[in-house]
Amino acid sequence: MPRKANVFFLGLFLIVLLTSCDSKAVFDEYQSLPNQWDKDNIISFKVEAPDTVNAYNLYVNLRNNSDYKYSNLFLITSLEYPNGKTLIDTLEYKMAAPDGTLLGSGFADVKENKLWYKGYKSPFVFKETGTYTFQVEQAMRKFGDANGVQELDGITEIGFRVENK
């Protein structure tokens, strides 16, 4: 009887392991933030080009909680190529429904948003071999305040994801 139980649990473990693998992900990394995202805190990710032929989808991933009080999110992003060329863009994402309900997947008050990195034509082809650097910073503003939000509450983690198309 103990041997059957061991085989059962080993089989169950393998099934869970195989079904939890994400075959599309080429790069998927998160960085945790303290209680707030300071406007001077630039989050950076270094990605090795998987190849220079295939097309990939790029995503900005965010985890936020109910402390996030805005309906949208403005980000300034940059993508630096191995040769030093840098493309910078300001992106806006919808974060809440008109009734204030946070968008994204997840339970309770923590939501995960997989945001299409629309700063570049998709799909994205890594045209050069080497290391690409993706950077993101928050660029939120309160209405009528040109200085912006110094400490943005509610964003707990920032991620960057590269997926096979």
Side-chain angles (χ1 to χ4, degrees):
M1 187 72 162
R3 180 173 162 90
K4 285 185 180 181
N6 288 341
V7 171
F8 171 77
F9 285 114
L10 179 62
L12 182 63
F13 173 75
L14 289 174
I15 289 171
V16 169
L17 182 64
L18 291 174
T19 58
S20 66
C21 290
D22 187 349
S23 62
K24 282 188 160 191
V26 174
F27 178 88
D28 193 11
E29 183 179 304
Y30 279 88
Q31 292 186 28
S32 295
L33 296 171
N35 296 329
Q36 295 141 337
W37 189 2
D38 190 279
K39 75 174 188 163
D40 298 323
N41 184 4
I42 299 172
I43 308 298
S44 184
F45 300 92
K46 295 203 177 286
V47 180
E48 287 297 319
D51 60 59
T52 59
V53 178
N54 294 309
Y56 297 90
N57 294 323
L58 307 179
Y59 298 95
V60 177
N61 292 334
L62 293 171
R63 291 187 179 130
N64 60 293
N65 61 34
S66 60
D67 291 337
Y68 192 78
K69 302 296 182 200
Y70 300 93
S71 63
N72 61 359
L73 175 67
F74 285 92
L75 302 175
I76 297 173
T77 61
S78 68
L79 184 64
E80 182 181 344
Y81 286 66
N83 70 5
K85 172 184 169 184
T86 303
L87 301 174
I88 299 172
D89 204 354
T90 302
L91 305 174
E92 179 184 12
Y93 296 103
K94 188 174 181 180
M95 298 295 290
D99 66 358
T101 304
L102 291 174
L103 300 176
S105 61
F107 300 104
D109 70 337
V110 176
K111 299 295 181 186
E112 182 163 357
N113 290 275
K114 184 177 178 182
L115 309 170
W116 186 264
Y117 183 39
K118 53 191 173 187
Y120 304 95
K121 292 181 181 178
S122 33
F124 182 81
V125 176
F126 292 90
K127 294 182 180 180
E128 302 173 21
T129 60
T131 303
Y132 288 71
T133 302
F134 172 77
Q135 293 186 322
V136 60
E137 60 187 290
Q138 64 98 345
M140 292 297 291
R141 306 276 185 269
K142 288 184 181 177
F143 186 73
D145 183 4
N147 295 325
V149 175
Q150 182 65 39
E151 295 175 336
L152 182 62
D153 293 323
I155 304 293
T156 60
E157 291 182 89
I158 307 293
F160 187 65
R161 181 176 173 94
V162 178
E163 284 186 359
N164 288 311
K165 184 173 177 329

